Amino acid sequence: MKKLLAVLLSVVLVLSLTSVGFAANGNTTLKFDENGKFKILVLADVQTDYPLQKDMVFFMEEAIRASEADLVIFTGDNVNNDDKRTYAQMLAPCIEAGVPYTMVLGNHDQESSGGMTREEIVAEYQKYEGFLGYDADPSIHGAGTHNLPILSSDGSKVAFNLWMFDCGDYVYTSDGEWLGYDWVREDQIEWYNNVRDEMTAANGGEVVPSLVFQHIIPQEPCEKIFLPSEIKLGEATMNFQDGSISSFIPDITQYEGYLFERCCPSYGNDGQWDAMVAGGDVLGVVCGHDHVNGFIANCNGIDMIMAPGCTYDSYYDNFIQGARVIELDESNTKEYSTYLLTSNALAQNPESNLGHHDGGRTELSYNFNFYFEKIFGFILNIFRNMIGGIVSKPIY
C-alpha cells in the first residue's frame, strides 16, 4: 500500500509539473533557459571537515562561476564529520551564488556523522536555502532517492529528468566480514520503473530522457573497462556477488578521459543497469567515489560518467581536484555534452585565488599538475590511436 501511494504521489507530481512546475522545499523550478540550455555542475567527494580549507571554498566558488551552473549535484561522501557547521560552510558557495542544489549520500556520510541516520542527514540538508532534495519513498532502501524533472523553456512539459539514487554504504556477512560496497536495491529499481512509466504516459507515450546520479559505480561498466580474471586474488581483483571476477587492468580502448586509480564498484547487483537499458530513458550514470578518475565509457548504450573528487581532505588531495560539467540542450535532449573543470586548470586563470594564499597548495603545485594532466592525456591518446581505440575528448 505504501508503494502504491508513493507511485500515485509521483504521478500527481509529474502531471502537476506540466502546469505549475516543480519547487522542492519551496525553492526554484528547474527549467531550460530562454536559449534552451541547462547546465549541471557535479561536485563529487567533497569529503570535508569543519572548517573547510580555503582552497576547497575557492575551488567550489570558481567552479560554479566557470560552469555557469543552473544546478549543483553533490554525489556523496560530502560531509566527513559530525560538526553541523560543515554543512553550512560547504553549501555557502551555492547559496551565495543563488544556484539550487541537491545531493545523494555516499559510503562515508553516515559513518562519520556522529550517529545520525541517513534520513536525519537528508533532513539536515533540507534546512538550507536552495536545497531541492527529498525522499521520494521512505519505504525503500536508503534515504534521499528522488528525481528532479527539468521543464521545457516555455514551461509546458517535462523535457528532461534527473534521477538521484542512494546506493548505500557497505555490506557484510552474517559474521561481520566485510564483503564490499552496497548497491541500488530492487525496491529502488521498482520505484524507478514505476515513476519512469508514469512520466512516459504523461509525455504522450514518449520516454523522457534522463541522467542518473549516485555515489558508487555499478558492476557492468567495470566489467566493460577492466580485463576479466579467471581467479579471485583478494583485493587484487574485483570480486562480485554473482561470482564474476575482474582484474584491475584497464582496456584503454574502452573509455575516454583518465583513470588514475582502480575502481571500487558495488559488490552486489539487483539489476539496475539492465532496468535502465530496458527503460530506454537513461543517457548516462554519473558517479564519484573514486577520487582521481574522470573517464567516460559506454556500456550497452548507457554512458558511465565518472566525476573526480573535489576533496582537499582525503587521499590524492595534493594531486587533482575536479568537477564535472554537464550541458543539456532542449533542441536535442537525447544527447548531452560534458567536460571537466580541474583545480589545476582553474588555477591558471589570473583571477583565481587558488595557489595565492598562505596554507594552501602552492602555485607551483597547481602548475606542475596542470601540465602533467596535459602531457598524460596527449600520450594516452597516442597509444589509443596506435591500437585503434577511441580518442579522448579534451579534458578542459
Side-chain angles (χ1 to χ4, degrees):
M1 178 62 68
K2 289 180 71 178
K3 290 184 178 179
L4 177 59
L5 179 59
V7 171
L8 292 174
L9 289 173
S10 296
V11 175
V12 172
L13 170 64
V14 171
L15 293 175
S16 67
L17 280 168
T18 62
S19 58
V20 300
F22 175 79
N25 209 25
N27 288 299
T28 307
T29 299
L30 298 183
K31 184 178 178 181
F32 283 90
D33 67 19
E34 63 276 8
N35 297 313
K37 308 295 183 183
F38 192 90
K39 299 178 182 178
I40 301 166
L41 178 68
V42 181
L43 296 176
D45 297 84
V46 180
Q47 206 159 324
T48 191
D49 300 321
Y50 181 86
L52 274 69
Q53 294 189 25
K54 289 183 179 179
D55 272 356
M56 168 68 80
V57 177
F58 291 148
F59 172 74
M60 294 172 67
E61 291 173 343
E62 292 178 22
I64 290 172
R65 285 198 298 270
S67 65
E68 299 180 321
D70 298 299
L71 176 71
V72 173
I73 300 177
F74 295 91
T75 57
D77 285 6
N78 305 319
V79 174
N80 209 34
N81 64 8
D82 60 357
D83 190 330
K84 293 184 179 180
R85 291 177 296 177
T86 313
Y87 294 88
Q89 194 175 17
M90 182 187 74
L91 301 176
C94 297
I95 296 170
E96 292 170 1
V99 179
Y101 54 95
T102 191
M103 65 89 199
V104 292
L105 295 172
N107 55 292
H108 288 309
D109 290 285
Q110 185 178 4
E111 70 177 1
S112 59
S113 69
M116 294 172 66
T117 65
R118 298 178 89 79
E119 290 77 12
E120 288 171 337
I121 295 172
V122 173
E124 187 65 29
Y125 281 94
Q126 290 177 324
K127 296 176 182 178
Y128 292 91
E129 179 185 358
F131 182 66
L132 300 183
Y134 63 103
D135 202 348
D137 184 350
S139 72
I140 62 178
H141 270 80
T145 292
H146 62 283
N147 69 300
L148 295 176
I150 304 173
L151 298 182
S152 58
S153 56
D154 63 5
S156 64
K157 67 174 185 176
V158 175
F160 203 87
N161 186 53
L162 307 175
W163 302 101
M164 312 293 157
F165 286 106
D166 178 7
C167 52
D169 45 25
Y170 310 103
V171 287
Y172 302 88
T173 66
S174 57
D175 297 328
E177 179 184 356
W178 185 79
L179 291 172
Y181 294 102
D182 207 347
W183 58 93
V184 173
R185 298 303 186 116
E186 187 175 355
D187 55 1
Q188 294 171 285
I189 299 168
E190 181 182 0
W191 168 83
Y192 154 75
N193 284 331
N194 289 334
V195 177
R196 182 205 61 234
D197 288 348
E198 296 298 343
M199 293 183 74
T200 300
N203 196 39
E206 184 176 352
V207 296
V208 177
S210 68
L211 288 168
V212 167
F213 299 83
Q214 62 190 61
H215 184 64
I216 300 169
I217 184 172
Q219 175 178 349
E220 287 88 344
C222 287
E223 292 179 319
K224 176 72 178 292
I225 297 167
F226 293 92
L227 300 177
S229 175
E230 296 298 325
I231 57 174
K232 291 183 180 180
L233 297 173
E235 293 188 5
T237 53
M238 287 179 274
N239 310 307
F240 297 103
Q241 186 182 47
D242 63 5
S244 302
I245 311 169
S246 291
S247 72
F248 286 109
I249 303 172
D251 179 350
I252 64 171
T253 68
Q254 296 301 314
Y255 66 92
E256 60 184 45
Y258 59 79
L259 194 160
F260 285 135
E261 69 168 297
R262 71 183 199 175
C263 288
C264 295
S266 295
Y267 171 68
N269 190 340
D270 280 1
Q272 179 193 12
W273 204 272
D274 289 343
M276 294 185 300
V277 172
D281 64 314
V282 177
L283 306 181
V285 178
V286 184
C287 292
H289 191 44
D290 304 324
H291 294 189
V292 285
N293 287 343
F295 63 81
I296 301 175
N298 188 272
C299 180
N300 299 329
I302 297 175
D303 286 343
M304 181 67 248
I305 309 165
M306 294 300 294
C310 59
T311 179
Y312 277 78
D313 286 319
S314 190
Y315 66 90
Y316 299 132
D317 60 358
N318 288 318
F319 174 49
I320 184 174
Q321 289 79 30
R324 184 169 285 284
V325 182
I326 298 173
E327 297 183 341
L328 304 175
D329 191 324
E330 186 180 11
S331 66
N332 183 8
T333 54
K334 294 182 180 180
E335 294 184 3
Y336 69 94
S337 61
T338 184
Y339 63 93
L340 295 181
L341 285 172
T342 70
S343 60
N344 301 320
L346 287 172
Q348 307 308 305
N349 185 337
E351 298 179 356
S352 174
N353 288 309
L354 297 170
H356 299 287
H357 69 91
D358 294 336
R361 283 177 55 190
T362 65
E363 184 177 6
L364 178 62
S365 170
Y366 283 113
N367 291 343
F368 177 85
N369 290 335
F370 171 75
Y371 287 107
F372 174 82
E373 291 175 33
K374 301 286 278 187
I375 293 169
F376 177 85
F378 178 75
I379 294 173
L380 186 61
N381 277 343
I382 290 176
F383 276 107
R384 283 185 173 133
N385 286 330
M386 288 173 61
I387 61 178
I390 60 176
V391 178
S392 290
K393 297 176 182 176
I395 292 177
Y396 308 109

Short mmCIF file of all heavy atoms in Angstrom, two decimals, residues 6-60:
data_model
loop_
_atom_site.label_atom_id
_atom_site.label_comp_id
_atom_site.label_asym_id
_atom_site.label_seq_id
_atom_site.Cartn_x
_atom_site.Cartn_y
_atom_site.Cartn_z
N ALA A 6 3.05 5.85 -2.93
CA ALA A 6 4.21 6.60 -3.43
C ALA A 6 4.14 6.79 -4.93
O ALA A 6 4.46 7.85 -5.47
CB ALA A 6 5.50 5.89 -3.04
N VAL A 7 3.71 5.74 -5.65
CA VAL A 7 3.58 5.83 -7.11
C VAL A 7 2.52 6.86 -7.48
O VAL A 7 2.72 7.69 -8.38
CB VAL A 7 3.23 4.45 -7.71
CG1 VAL A 7 2.88 4.58 -9.18
CG2 VAL A 7 4.40 3.49 -7.53
N LEU A 8 1.38 6.81 -6.78
CA LEU A 8 0.31 7.77 -7.07
C LEU A 8 0.76 9.20 -6.82
O LEU A 8 0.46 10.11 -7.60
CB LEU A 8 -0.93 7.44 -6.23
CG LEU A 8 -1.65 6.13 -6.57
CD1 LEU A 8 -2.76 5.85 -5.57
CD2 LEU A 8 -2.19 6.16 -7.99
N LEU A 9 1.50 9.39 -5.74
CA LEU A 9 2.03 10.72 -5.45
C LEU A 9 2.99 11.18 -6.54
O LEU A 9 3.02 12.35 -6.92
CB LEU A 9 2.72 10.73 -4.09
CG LEU A 9 1.78 10.62 -2.87
CD1 LEU A 9 2.60 10.46 -1.60
CD2 LEU A 9 0.87 11.83 -2.77
N SER A 10 3.81 10.23 -7.04
CA SER A 10 4.75 10.57 -8.11
C SER A 10 4.00 10.98 -9.37
O SER A 10 4.40 11.90 -10.08
CB SER A 10 5.67 9.37 -8.40
OG SER A 10 6.47 9.08 -7.29
N VAL A 11 2.89 10.28 -9.65
CA VAL A 11 2.09 10.62 -10.83
C VAL A 11 1.55 12.03 -10.70
O VAL A 11 1.60 12.84 -11.64
CB VAL A 11 0.93 9.62 -10.99
CG1 VAL A 11 0.02 10.05 -12.14
CG2 VAL A 11 1.47 8.23 -11.25
N VAL A 12 1.02 12.34 -9.51
CA VAL A 12 0.48 13.68 -9.29
C VAL A 12 1.57 14.73 -9.48
O VAL A 12 1.35 15.77 -10.10
CB VAL A 12 -0.12 13.78 -7.87
CG1 VAL A 12 -0.51 15.23 -7.56
CG2 VAL A 12 -1.34 12.88 -7.76
N LEU A 13 2.78 14.42 -8.98
CA LEU A 13 3.89 15.36 -9.12
C LEU A 13 4.22 15.60 -10.58
O LEU A 13 4.35 16.74 -11.02
CB LEU A 13 5.12 14.81 -8.39
CG LEU A 13 6.44 15.55 -8.64
CD1 LEU A 13 6.35 16.98 -8.11
CD2 LEU A 13 7.60 14.82 -7.98
N VAL A 14 4.35 14.52 -11.33
CA VAL A 14 4.73 14.65 -12.74
C VAL A 14 3.67 15.41 -13.52
O VAL A 14 3.98 16.30 -14.31
CB VAL A 14 4.97 13.25 -13.36
CG1 VAL A 14 5.14 13.37 -14.87
CG2 VAL A 14 6.20 12.60 -12.74
N LEU A 15 2.40 15.06 -13.29
CA LEU A 15 1.34 15.75 -14.02
C LEU A 15 1.27 17.22 -13.64
O LEU A 15 1.04 18.08 -14.50
CB LEU A 15 0.00 15.06 -13.74
CG LEU A 15 -0.15 13.63 -14.29
CD1 LEU A 15 -1.47 13.03 -13.83
CD2 LEU A 15 -0.04 13.63 -15.81
N SER A 16 1.51 17.52 -12.38
CA SER A 16 1.45 18.92 -11.96
C SER A 16 2.57 19.74 -12.55
O SER A 16 2.45 20.95 -12.73
CB SER A 16 1.49 19.01 -10.43
OG SER A 16 2.75 18.59 -9.93
N LEU A 17 3.67 19.09 -12.87
CA LEU A 17 4.82 19.81 -13.43
C LEU A 17 4.48 20.46 -14.76
O LEU A 17 5.05 21.50 -15.12
CB LEU A 17 5.99 18.84 -13.63
CG LEU A 17 6.81 18.53 -12.38
CD1 LEU A 17 7.74 17.36 -12.66
CD2 LEU A 17 7.62 19.72 -11.95
N THR A 18 3.58 19.83 -15.51
CA THR A 18 3.28 20.36 -16.83
C THR A 18 2.56 21.70 -16.75
O THR A 18 2.49 22.42 -17.74
CB THR A 18 2.42 19.36 -17.63
OG1 THR A 18 1.18 19.17 -16.93
CG2 THR A 18 3.13 18.04 -17.79
N SER A 19 2.05 22.03 -15.56
CA SER A 19 1.34 23.30 -15.46
C SER A 19 1.97 24.27 -14.48
O SER A 19 2.07 25.45 -14.75
CB SER A 19 -0.12 23.05 -15.05
OG SER A 19 -0.17 22.35 -13.81
N VAL A 20 2.41 23.76 -13.31
CA VAL A 20 2.91 24.70 -12.31
C VAL A 20 4.39 24.56 -12.03
O VAL A 20 4.97 25.38 -11.33
CB VAL A 20 2.12 24.51 -10.98
CG1 VAL A 20 0.66 24.75 -11.20
CG2 VAL A 20 2.34 23.13 -10.38
N GLY A 21 5.04 23.52 -12.54
CA GLY A 21 6.47 23.36 -12.32
C GLY A 21 6.78 22.71 -11.00
O GLY A 21 5.91 22.49 -10.17
N PHE A 22 8.05 22.42 -10.79
CA PHE A 22 8.49 21.72 -9.59
C PHE A 22 9.21 22.67 -8.66
O PHE A 22 10.07 23.42 -9.08
CB PHE A 22 9.44 20.57 -9.97
CG PHE A 22 10.04 19.88 -8.80
CD1 PHE A 22 9.29 18.96 -8.10
CD2 PHE A 22 11.33 20.15 -8.40
CE1 PHE A 22 9.83 18.32 -7.00
CE2 PHE A 22 11.88 19.52 -7.32
CZ PHE A 22 11.13 18.59 -6.62
N ALA A 23 8.87 22.66 -7.40
CA ALA A 23 9.54 23.53 -6.43
C ALA A 23 9.71 22.78 -5.12
O ALA A 23 8.92 22.91 -4.20
CB ALA A 23 8.73 24.80 -6.20
N ALA A 24 10.75 21.90 -5.04
CA ALA A 24 11.01 21.15 -3.82
C ALA A 24 11.50 22.10 -2.74
O ALA A 24 12.28 23.00 -2.98
CB ALA A 24 12.07 20.08 -4.09
N ASN A 25 11.00 21.87 -1.50
CA ASN A 25 11.45 22.65 -0.34
C ASN A 25 11.21 24.15 -0.53
O ASN A 25 11.91 24.98 0.02
CB ASN A 25 12.95 22.38 -0.11
CG ASN A 25 13.33 22.53 1.36
OD1 ASN A 25 12.49 22.37 2.23
ND2 ASN A 25 14.58 22.82 1.60
N GLY A 26 10.23 24.49 -1.38
CA GLY A 26 9.90 25.90 -1.58
C GLY A 26 10.90 26.65 -2.42
O GLY A 26 10.97 27.88 -2.38
N ASN A 27 11.67 25.94 -3.24
CA ASN A 27 12.75 26.59 -3.98
C ASN A 27 12.47 26.64 -5.48
O ASN A 27 11.34 26.48 -5.93
CB ASN A 27 14.07 25.86 -3.70
CG ASN A 27 14.56 26.13 -2.29
OD1 ASN A 27 14.83 27.25 -1.92
ND2 ASN A 27 14.64 25.08 -1.49
N THR A 28 13.55 26.79 -6.24
CA THR A 28 13.47 27.13 -7.65
C THR A 28 12.96 25.99 -8.52
O THR A 28 13.30 24.84 -8.34
CB THR A 28 14.88 27.52 -8.13
OG1 THR A 28 15.39 28.52 -7.27
CG2 THR A 28 14.86 28.03 -9.55
N THR A 29 12.15 26.33 -9.52
CA THR A 29 11.76 25.39 -10.56
C THR A 29 12.94 25.17 -11.50
O THR A 29 13.57 26.13 -11.93
CB THR A 29 10.57 25.94 -11.36
OG1 THR A 29 9.47 26.14 -10.49
CG2 THR A 29 10.18 25.00 -12.48
N LEU A 30 13.23 23.92 -11.82
CA LEU A 30 14.28 23.62 -12.79
C LEU A 30 13.68 23.73 -14.19
O LEU A 30 12.65 23.13 -14.48
CB LEU A 30 14.84 22.22 -12.55
CG LEU A 30 15.50 21.98 -11.19
CD1 LEU A 30 16.08 20.57 -11.12
CD2 LEU A 30 16.59 23.02 -10.92
N LYS A 31 14.38 24.48 -15.05
CA LYS A 31 13.80 24.79 -16.35
C LYS A 31 14.92 25.15 -17.32
O LYS A 31 15.90 25.80 -16.94
CB LYS A 31 12.85 25.98 -16.16
CG LYS A 31 12.06 26.42 -17.35
CD LYS A 31 11.14 27.57 -16.95
CE LYS A 31 10.34 28.10 -18.10
NZ LYS A 31 9.47 29.25 -17.70
N PHE A 32 14.79 24.70 -18.56
CA PHE A 32 15.71 25.16 -19.60
C PHE A 32 15.57 26.67 -19.75
O PHE A 32 14.47 27.21 -19.66
CB PHE A 32 15.40 24.48 -20.93
CG PHE A 32 15.90 23.05 -21.02
CD1 PHE A 32 15.10 21.99 -20.62
CD2 PHE A 32 17.18 22.78 -21.48
CE1 PHE A 32 15.56 20.68 -20.70
CE2 PHE A 32 17.65 21.47 -21.57
CZ PHE A 32 16.83 20.43 -21.17
N ASP A 33 16.71 27.35 -19.98
CA ASP A 33 16.65 28.81 -20.08
C ASP A 33 16.09 29.24 -21.44
O ASP A 33 15.71 28.41 -22.28
CB ASP A 33 18.02 29.44 -19.81
CG ASP A 33 19.07 29.11 -20.87
OD1 ASP A 33 18.71 28.71 -22.00
OD2 ASP A 33 20.27 29.26 -20.58
N GLU A 34 16.03 30.55 -21.65
CA GLU A 34 15.42 31.06 -22.88
C GLU A 34 16.16 30.65 -24.14
O GLU A 34 15.61 30.70 -25.25
CB GLU A 34 15.33 32.59 -22.81
CG GLU A 34 16.66 33.33 -22.75
CD GLU A 34 17.23 33.42 -21.35
OE1 GLU A 34 16.65 32.78 -20.42
OE2 GLU A 34 18.23 34.14 -21.16
N ASN A 35 17.43 30.22 -23.98
CA ASN A 35 18.21 29.72 -25.11
C ASN A 35 18.15 28.20 -25.24
O ASN A 35 18.85 27.60 -26.06
CB ASN A 35 19.68 30.16 -24.97
CG ASN A 35 19.83 31.67 -25.01
OD1 ASN A 35 19.26 32.34 -25.87
ND2 ASN A 35 20.60 32.21 -24.07
N GLY A 36 17.33 27.58 -24.40
CA GLY A 36 17.18 26.13 -24.44
C GLY A 36 18.34 25.38 -23.83
O GLY A 36 18.57 24.22 -24.18
N LYS A 37 19.05 25.99 -22.89
CA LYS A 37 20.23 25.36 -22.29
C LYS A 37 19.98 25.10 -20.80
O LYS A 37 19.23 25.82 -20.13
CB LYS A 37 21.46 26.26 -22.43
CG LYS A 37 21.75 26.73 -23.85
CD LYS A 37 22.11 25.59 -24.78
CE LYS A 37 22.45 26.11 -26.18
NZ LYS A 37 22.74 25.02 -27.14
N PHE A 38 20.67 24.06 -20.29
CA PHE A 38 20.65 23.77 -18.86
C PHE A 38 21.99 23.14 -18.51
O PHE A 38 22.43 22.19 -19.16
CB PHE A 38 19.51 22.81 -18.51
CG PHE A 38 19.28 22.69 -17.02
CD1 PHE A 38 18.39 23.54 -16.38
CD2 PHE A 38 19.95 21.75 -16.26
CE1 PHE A 38 18.18 23.45 -15.01
CE2 PHE A 38 19.75 21.65 -14.89
CZ PHE A 38 18.85 22.51 -14.26
N LYS A 39 22.65 23.69 -17.46
CA LYS A 39 23.99 23.24 -17.09
C LYS A 39 24.00 22.72 -15.66
O LYS A 39 23.45 23.33 -14.74
CB LYS A 39 24.99 24.40 -17.22
CG LYS A 39 25.10 24.94 -18.63
CD LYS A 39 26.06 26.13 -18.70
CE LYS A 39 26.13 26.71 -20.11
NZ LYS A 39 27.03 27.89 -20.17
N ILE A 40 24.68 21.58 -15.50
CA ILE A 40 24.78 20.91 -14.20
C ILE A 40 26.25 20.84 -13.81
O ILE A 40 27.11 20.45 -14.61
CB ILE A 40 24.21 19.48 -14.27
CG1 ILE A 40 22.75 19.51 -14.71
CG2 ILE A 40 24.36 18.77 -12.93
CD1 ILE A 40 22.20 18.15 -15.12
N LEU A 41 26.54 21.22 -12.57
CA LEU A 41 27.88 21.07 -12.02
C LEU A 41 27.86 19.93 -11.01
O LEU A 41 27.08 19.96 -10.06
CB LEU A 41 28.33 22.36 -11.35
CG LEU A 41 29.72 22.32 -10.67
CD1 LEU A 41 30.82 22.20 -11.72
CD2 LEU A 41 29.92 23.55 -9.80
N VAL A 42 28.70 18.93 -11.23
CA VAL A 42 28.77 17.77 -10.34
C VAL A 42 29.99 17.91 -9.43
O VAL A 42 31.13 17.98 -9.91
CB VAL A 42 28.87 16.46 -11.15
CG1 VAL A 42 28.92 15.26 -10.20
CG2 VAL A 42 27.70 16.33 -12.11
N LEU A 43 29.74 17.96 -8.13
CA LEU A 43 30.80 18.01 -7.13
C LEU A 43 30.79 16.69 -6.38
O LEU A 43 29.88 16.40 -5.59
CB LEU A 43 30.58 19.18 -6.17
CG LEU A 43 30.65 20.58 -6.79
CD1 LEU A 43 30.32 21.64 -5.75
CD2 LEU A 43 32.03 20.84 -7.39
N ALA A 44 31.79 15.87 -6.64
CA ALA A 44 31.88 14.54 -6.04
C ALA A 44 32.89 14.54 -4.91
O ALA A 44 33.94 15.19 -5.00
CB ALA A 44 32.28 13.51 -7.10
N ASP A 45 32.58 13.80 -3.86
CA ASP A 45 33.55 13.53 -2.79
C ASP A 45 34.18 14.81 -2.24
O ASP A 45 35.40 14.95 -2.19
CB ASP A 45 34.63 12.58 -3.29
CG ASP A 45 34.07 11.23 -3.67
OD1 ASP A 45 33.59 11.10 -4.82
OD2 ASP A 45 34.09 10.32 -2.85
N VAL A 46 33.33 15.73 -1.81
CA VAL A 46 33.83 16.90 -1.10
C VAL A 46 34.56 16.43 0.16
O VAL A 46 35.63 16.92 0.52
CB VAL A 46 32.69 17.86 -0.74
CG1 VAL A 46 33.23 19.08 0.01
CG2 VAL A 46 31.94 18.30 -1.99
N GLN A 47 33.96 15.46 0.83
CA GLN A 47 34.59 14.70 1.93
C GLN A 47 35.37 15.61 2.88
O GLN A 47 36.56 15.42 3.12
CB GLN A 47 35.50 13.62 1.35
CG GLN A 47 35.71 12.43 2.27
CD GLN A 47 36.15 11.19 1.53
OE1 GLN A 47 35.73 10.93 0.39
NE2 GLN A 47 36.98 10.38 2.15
N THR A 48 34.68 16.59 3.43
CA THR A 48 35.37 17.65 4.13
C THR A 48 34.99 17.73 5.60
O THR A 48 33.95 17.23 6.02
CB THR A 48 35.08 19.01 3.44
OG1 THR A 48 35.95 20.00 3.96
CG2 THR A 48 33.62 19.43 3.66
N ASP A 49 35.86 18.34 6.38
CA ASP A 49 35.65 18.62 7.79
C ASP A 49 35.46 20.12 7.99
O ASP A 49 35.72 20.92 7.09
CB ASP A 49 36.85 18.15 8.62
CG ASP A 49 37.11 16.66 8.47
OD1 ASP A 49 36.13 15.90 8.41
OD2 ASP A 49 38.29 16.26 8.41
N TYR A 50 35.06 20.48 9.21
CA TYR A 50 34.97 21.89 9.55
C TYR A 50 36.23 22.30 10.31
O TYR A 50 36.69 21.58 11.19
CB TYR A 50 33.74 22.15 10.42
CG TYR A 50 33.58 23.61 10.80
CD1 TYR A 50 32.93 24.48 9.94
CD2 TYR A 50 34.13 24.10 11.98
CE1 TYR A 50 32.80 25.83 10.28
CE2 TYR A 50 34.01 25.43 12.31
CZ TYR A 50 33.35 26.30 11.46
OH TYR A 50 33.24 27.63 11.77
N PRO A 51 36.82 23.45 9.98
CA PRO A 51 36.44 24.35 8.88
C PRO A 51 37.01 23.87 7.54
O PRO A 51 38.05 23.22 7.51
CB PRO A 51 37.07 25.67 9.30
CG PRO A 51 38.30 25.26 10.07
CD PRO A 51 37.93 24.00 10.79
N LEU A 52 36.33 24.20 6.46
CA LEU A 52 36.82 23.85 5.13
C LEU A 52 38.11 24.59 4.84
O LEU A 52 38.29 25.73 5.25
CB LEU A 52 35.80 24.21 4.05
CG LEU A 52 34.71 23.19 3.73
CD1 LEU A 52 33.74 23.05 4.89
CD2 LEU A 52 33.97 23.58 2.45
N GLN A 53 38.99 23.91 4.12
CA GLN A 53 40.21 24.59 3.67
C GLN A 53 39.83 25.72 2.70
O GLN A 53 38.87 25.61 1.94
CB GLN A 53 41.14 23.60 2.98
CG GLN A 53 41.72 22.54 3.90
CD GLN A 53 42.80 21.73 3.21
OE1 GLN A 53 43.44 22.19 2.28
NE2 GLN A 53 43.01 20.51 3.68
N LYS A 54 40.62 26.78 2.74
CA LYS A 54 40.35 27.91 1.85
C LYS A 54 40.34 27.47 0.39
O LYS A 54 39.51 27.92 -0.40
CB LYS A 54 41.40 29.01 2.06
CG LYS A 54 41.28 29.76 3.37
CD LYS A 54 42.33 30.88 3.44
CE LYS A 54 42.22 31.67 4.73
NZ LYS A 54 43.24 32.73 4.82
N ASP A 55 41.29 26.59 0.01
CA ASP A 55 41.33 26.13 -1.38
C ASP A 55 40.04 25.42 -1.77
O ASP A 55 39.59 25.54 -2.92
CB ASP A 55 42.52 25.18 -1.58
CG ASP A 55 43.80 25.91 -1.94
OD1 ASP A 55 43.76 27.13 -2.10
OD2 ASP A 55 44.85 25.25 -2.07
N MET A 56 39.45 24.66 -0.85
CA MET A 56 38.19 23.97 -1.14
C MET A 56 37.10 24.99 -1.45
O MET A 56 36.37 24.87 -2.44
CB MET A 56 37.78 23.10 0.04
CG MET A 56 36.35 22.57 -0.04
SD MET A 56 36.11 21.38 -1.36
CE MET A 56 36.80 19.94 -0.58
N VAL A 57 36.98 26.01 -0.63
CA VAL A 57 35.96 27.03 -0.85
C VAL A 57 36.21 27.77 -2.16
O VAL A 57 35.29 27.98 -2.96
CB VAL A 57 35.92 28.02 0.33
CG1 VAL A 57 34.90 29.13 0.07
CG2 VAL A 57 35.57 27.29 1.63
N PHE A 58 37.47 28.15 -2.39
CA PHE A 58 37.80 28.84 -3.64
C PHE A 58 37.47 27.97 -4.85
O PHE A 58 36.93 28.46 -5.85
CB PHE A 58 39.27 29.23 -3.67
CG PHE A 58 39.65 30.31 -2.68
CD1 PHE A 58 40.92 30.32 -2.11
CD2 PHE A 58 38.76 31.31 -2.34
CE1 PHE A 58 41.28 31.30 -1.20
CE2 PHE A 58 39.11 32.31 -1.44
CZ PHE A 58 40.38 32.30 -0.87
N PHE A 59 37.83 26.69 -4.76
CA PHE A 59 37.58 25.79 -5.90
C PHE A 59 36.09 25.71 -6.20
O PHE A 59 35.66 25.81 -7.36
CB PHE A 59 38.12 24.40 -5.62
CG PHE A 59 37.73 23.38 -6.66
CD1 PHE A 59 38.32 23.39 -7.91
CD2 PHE A 59 36.74 22.45 -6.40
CE1 PHE A 59 37.94 22.48 -8.89
CE2 PHE A 59 36.36 21.53 -7.36
CZ PHE A 59 36.96 21.55 -8.61
N MET A 60 35.27 25.52 -5.18
CA MET A 60 33.83 25.41 -5.39
C MET A 60 33.26 26.71 -5.97
O MET A 60 32.46 26.68 -6.92
CB MET A 60 33.14 25.05 -4.08
CG MET A 60 33.50 23.66 -3.56
SD MET A 60 32.85 23.34 -1.91
CE MET A 60 31.10 23.31 -2.23
#
